[in-house]
Amino acid sequence: MSVLVTGGAGYIGSHVVRLLQQRGTGVVVVDDLSNGRAERVGDAPVVELDLATDAAAPALAAAFAEHDVDAVIHFAARKQVGESVAKPARYWSQNVGGTANLLQAMETAGVGKLVFSSSAATYGAPDTEVVREDGPAEPINPYGQTKLVGEWMTRAAARAWGLRAANLRYFNVAGAGWDDLGDTAVMNLIPIVFSALDAGKAPSVFGDDYPTPDGSCVRDYVHVLDLAQAHLAALDHLAQDERPFDTFNVGTGTGASVFEVLAEVRQVTGVDVQPVVEPRRAGDPPRLVADVERITGTLGWHATKSLHDIVTSAWDAWRR
Ligand code: WQD
């Protein structure tokens, strides 16, 4: 038996691949290698494939049979919010189309367990201290919309043919579990700040006039290794539990502001980071923090790593 991991050569996917390998589970990776790198997955076989193309159905059918696949973890997707606003059709075709092809292939082959990478972007701009999975999901950009539709698709498959699925809504993922698996894309706050430091530039804070304690936006930063462990907990849950479908926040339950993240970067790097405050970035919710009761109660998972661990591991990997 083995687990097929789409997007397994990417930043988060490769952490999950390595944990599965460490516990002796067979893994096969499907990745279009647009952002992923094959050297991240060790000796796992890699099927180079764009799930949104017509080549997906036969290639998945072959991989399921050849590797005796009984579960899928589905990371492969486009994930840049700004790009999704500029190129919405691309996001619908890649994220929704790719997931549809995957679900069809799973149904045809009788592969009945799925862990789906969803996002806190499904919540949009909530006005609550913490967000619960059963609260409103009103995404405010095409990226978040495609992730919410992905959740609907897994739920529909659960009803229609008995798929057992867990949707994991990631909050702000950062850090590195191993130095060779760090986030090489400069798309989120912590890598953006590191990149500014390297260039000798002042990092930007997008808005200091939000209704938060220090005026900057508050997010729930979760260590990528904790997040990766949540996938293994979800897989184990699907193997045992009779409940066919569920959605879980994956966060720490605690928020940190942009200024607090910068203070941690200052402490870890020893560089006296002096940011410049810029206008608010369009579409940023003031506060987005997970309620983690469901994942803790149902999967027995909770985050173990602090913001300090996140910044330290991210910095070590960045310097490598
Ligand atoms: C974090 C905070 C910025 C850069 C996005 C997606 C979300 C998930 C994670 C995938 C915000 C502020 C940033 C900078 C800043 N992705 N910031 N200066 O927007 O919270 O979440 O990534 O699933 O779905 O929406 O992450 O890292 O871009 O920003 O002040 O140079 O840092 O305004 O408050 P975000 P981020």
Side-chain angles (χ1 to χ4, degrees):
M1 289 293 183
S2 58
V3 177
L4 184 140
V5 183
T6 78
Y11 164 55
I12 302 172
S14 61
H15 280 83
V16 171
V17 166
R18 194 163 293 177
L19 287 183
L20 288 168
Q21 289 168 326
Q22 285 187 345
R23 77 172 191 182
T25 304
V27 184
V28 53
V29 169
V30 168
D31 202 300
D32 69 1
L33 300 179
S34 58
N35 285 314
R37 298 204 318 261
E39 65 265 27
R40 284 192 179 130
V41 305
D43 58 8
V46 177
V47 178
E48 192 175 339
L49 175 69
D50 178 345
L51 288 175
T53 61
D54 290 342
L60 286 169
F64 288 153
E66 184 185 344
H67 300 283
D68 194 19
V69 170
D70 76 329
V72 174
I73 306 180
H74 178 37
F75 292 98
R78 312 300 312 172
K79 62 167 188 178
Q80 283 178 265
V81 171
E83 184 188 52
S84 82
V85 175
K87 299 177 182 170
R90 176 153 195 241
Y91 274 68
W92 286 87
S93 111
Q94 287 278 302
N95 293 2
V96 177
T99 302
N101 284 343
L102 175 66
L103 287 170
Q104 183 61 62
M106 290 176 69
E107 181 183 356
T108 303
V111 176
K113 294 194 286 274
L114 175 70
V115 180
F116 173 65
S117 299
S118 188
S119 170
T122 54
Y123 288 110
D127 59 3
T128 48
E129 276 289 296
V130 292
V131 285
R132 289 169 51 94
E133 295 88 340
D134 53 6
E138 293 163 359
I140 53 172
N141 51 62
Y143 169 71
Q145 290 164 350
T146 62
K147 287 295 176 181
L148 188 57
V149 170
E151 293 188 2
W152 294 345
M153 292 163 83
T154 66
R155 181 171 57 199
R159 287 189 182 143
W161 57 271
L163 175 72
R164 299 168 70 154
N167 298 317
L168 301 185
R169 290 181 175 170
Y170 308 163
F171 282 68
N172 288 62
V173 186
W178 293 271
D179 284 352
D180 60 324
L181 300 187
D183 187 4
T184 51
V186 183
M187 294 190 305
N188 293 109
L189 176 63
I190 292 172
I192 288 173
V193 172
F194 291 164
S195 170
L197 295 189
D198 281 357
K201 291 186 184 152
S204 303
V205 174
F206 296 140
D208 67 350
D209 57 352
Y210 283 98
T212 58
D214 65 18
S216 66
C217 287
V218 171
R219 296 287 181 272
D220 188 332
Y221 294 89
V222 58
H223 194 294
V224 65
L225 198 55
D226 277 334
L227 174 72
Q229 294 284 7
H231 291 75
L232 272 58
L235 265 188
D236 293 345
H237 171 75
L238 294 178
Q240 289 161 15
D241 201 271
E242 287 309 307
R243 196 164 170 184
F245 170 84
D246 220 335
T247 297
F248 300 98
N249 287 339
V250 193
T252 66
T254 302
S257 72
V258 177
F259 285 122
E260 286 170 332
V261 172
L262 291 174
E264 196 60 59
V265 171
R266 203 173 293 130
Q267 216 222 318
V268 166
T269 63
V271 180
D272 184 22
V273 184
Q274 293 299 338
V276 285
V277 175
E278 307 231 21
R280 293 181 177 192
R281 190 174 69 174
D284 262 342
R287 178 183 169 90
L288 192 56
V289 176
D291 179 302
V292 293
E293 203 181 306
R294 183 184 285 179
I295 191 165
T296 304
T298 311
L299 301 187
W301 175 93
H302 61 89
T304 62
K305 294 185 186 297
S306 64
L307 183 62
H308 180 75
D309 299 328
I310 290 172
V311 175
T312 305
S313 64
W315 180 239
D316 289 345
W318 179 265
R319 280 188 302 175
R320 178 196 156 111

